[in-house]
Amino acid sequence: MKKSFFCIFLLSLPLMGCTDSGHEDLEQWMNDSTKDIKGKVEPLPEIKPYNPVVYSVSAAMDPFQPTKIRPETSGAGRPDQNRVPQPLESFSLETLKYIGFMKKDGIPVAIVQAGETLHQVFKDNYMGQNYGQITDITEKEIMLRESVEDAEGTWTTRSVSLYLQDKN
């Protein structure tokens, strides 16, 4: 019994230090420091009423449906798929390099590098994988008209250029 009483006494000693004695001056200072402090909350902004707009145009195009704006085509842009493909049509334009220009009997000729092979190309030759036909050759660029088919099967034409590469 004495042993258990002694253990309880030892365990309660640290709790005796937690009494309120000796802290009155600290509590008085806290009360004096905070007596004039008042919190201020900004008022909420005024909420304006919501006025819904009714979309009542039934004959107009629905703005939430995806649609495609198509240029008027009358079969234009469809390439001749019965002709024999030319050698540079097996390369994409990104892999072809325009490296030289010359005139042969007054006709402009472009020198194009495909891999390790050099090719001479003239106006109306084809190159690239999108049925690109050469429309003009200058000292700085080869201009082509490509025919591309979209997901819906519509053929359109677009103009692209292959520029003369620097010797770097």
Side-chain angles (χ1 to χ4, degrees), residues 4 12 15 27 43 47 49 52 62 69 74 85-86 91 105 109 121 125 129 136 143 155 166-168:
S4 62
S12 63
L15 295 175
E27 288 177 14
I47 298 175
D62 184 0
I69 299 173
S74 57
Q86 295 180 2
F91 297 93
D105 297 327
V109 179
V121 293
N125 283 149
Q129 295 174 333
D136 196 17
M143 288 159 268
W155 288 91
D166 291 334
K167 294 182 179 182
N168 294 337

Side-chain angles (χ1 to χ4, degrees), residues 34-40:
T34 60
K35 70 179 178 183
D36 295 331
I37 296 176
K38 293 182 182 175
K40 183 178 179 186

Side-chain angles (χ1 to χ4, degrees), residues 7-23:
C7 288
I8 293 173
F9 176 73
L10 284 179
L11 290 174
S12 63
L13 277 178
L15 295 175
M16 288 182 190
C18 295
T19 60
D20 287 338
S21 64
H23 296 292

Side-chain angles (χ1 to χ4, degrees), residues 85-91 119 126:
Q86 295 180 2
L88 290 178
E89 287 185 88
S90 61
F91 297 93
H119 298 268
Y126 288 86

Side-chain angles (χ1 to χ4, degrees), residues 15 24-25 31 41 51 54-55 58 77 84 87 94 99 105 118 120 122 132 138-139 151:
L15 295 175
E24 292 84 23
D25 59 338
N31 290 335
V41 176
N51 296 324
V54 178
Y55 185 75
S58 61
V84 176
E94 292 81 22
I99 60 168
D105 297 327
L118 299 179
Q120 291 183 16
F122 299 89
T138 67
E139 293 179 10

